[in-house]
Amino acid sequence: IEEVLSHVVLRAMAPLNATSAFISILDNQNSIVTVGKFGIASEISESYPEKFTLTDRIPITEAMRERKIVVVNSLPSWPQDYPLLSEIPYPTNEASMVSFPIERCGTPIAVGTLFFSSKIFINEETSIFIESIANLLALYLFSPGFLQGVKTGLPSETHASVAPERGLPLSQRQGLI
């Protein structure tokens, strides 16, 4: 999943200055659990819980419950609407976060989150683009290959080329695209 997220950040959302992303899925206990990250420093990641309940007031649960795109344009400070996050420092240069539901058969079962270095304002075109990315992520998340990868935890192969804008290695599949 990290390979797919890297492609979303480095290619698809690069014109909007995307910096990092993560995906969380709804588990059997109605908790939202992070299953993949890209571009998020470990010290930032470790300061946040990896699991939330649907009733927690945070952007990812709001996106899933309300089935809508949620935008936070106040980073590095969290809005008071999200008390669980407002107490945790967010020491990055990112200015915005966008969370969006990922659905399967019309039911939200996962949520994608992207971070940006500039403020993001959602118009109809951007909304449709994000929904398209959500649909592609749904296809990947619920493919047998992803489910097998979650069980085995095997790392993806990397290709010798790099993403010129970020200097990061591309996977073999990304190199072909």
Side-chain angles (χ1 to χ4, degrees):
I1 190 71
E2 289 78 11
E3 178 183 338
V4 174
L5 290 173
S6 71
H7 190 73
V8 169
V9 170
L10 298 175
R11 301 286 188 212
M13 297 304 254
L16 297 175
N17 300 314
T19 57
S20 57
F22 69 91
I23 289 187
S24 302
I25 60 171
L26 188 62
D27 70 9
N28 294 345
Q29 289 83 38
N30 282 332
S31 295
I32 299 175
V33 182
T34 301
V35 294
K37 303 174 211 163
F38 173 78
I40 299 174
S42 59
E43 58 271 7
I44 301 294
S45 180
E46 291 168 0
S47 63
Y48 288 86
E50 293 282 321
K51 190 174 191 176
F52 293 96
T53 66
L54 274 175
T55 57
D56 289 336
R57 290 184 54 204
I58 60 173
I60 63 173
T61 58
E62 183 179 341
M64 187 171 279
R65 277 192 324 270
E66 313 256 337
R67 298 177 71 185
K68 69 176 187 177
I69 296 170
V70 175
V71 179
V72 173
N73 272 328
S74 62
L75 296 179
S77 299
W78 293 104
Q80 292 302 314
D81 294 348
Y82 306 119
L84 287 174
L85 301 178
S86 63
E87 301 298 319
I88 303 172
Y90 193 76
T92 72
N93 293 329
E94 294 163 329
S96 294
M97 183 197 83
V98 174
S99 288
F100 52 92
I102 299 170
E103 298 184 357
R104 183 176 188 192
C105 300
T107 302
I109 40 74
V111 62
T113 301
L114 295 161
F115 292 88
F116 301 87
S117 61
S118 57
K119 293 192 183 301
I120 297 297
F121 299 97
I122 304 294
N123 58 26
E124 185 177 351
E125 186 177 295
T126 307
S127 177
I128 291 168
F129 186 58
I130 290 171
E131 289 169 8
S132 298
I133 289 173
N135 289 335
L136 292 170
L137 289 171
L139 287 172
Y140 182 78
L141 283 173
F142 301 102
S143 68
F146 174 74
L147 297 175
Q148 181 183 16
V150 168
K151 290 177 189 170
T152 62
L154 296 174
S156 60
E157 285 185 51
T158 57
H159 191 266
S161 63
V162 296
E165 358 12 66
R166 309 281 172 123
L168 298 173
L170 293 177
S171 69
Q172 185 175 20
R173 190 175 323 148
Q174 289 172 333
L176 293 173
I177 293 173

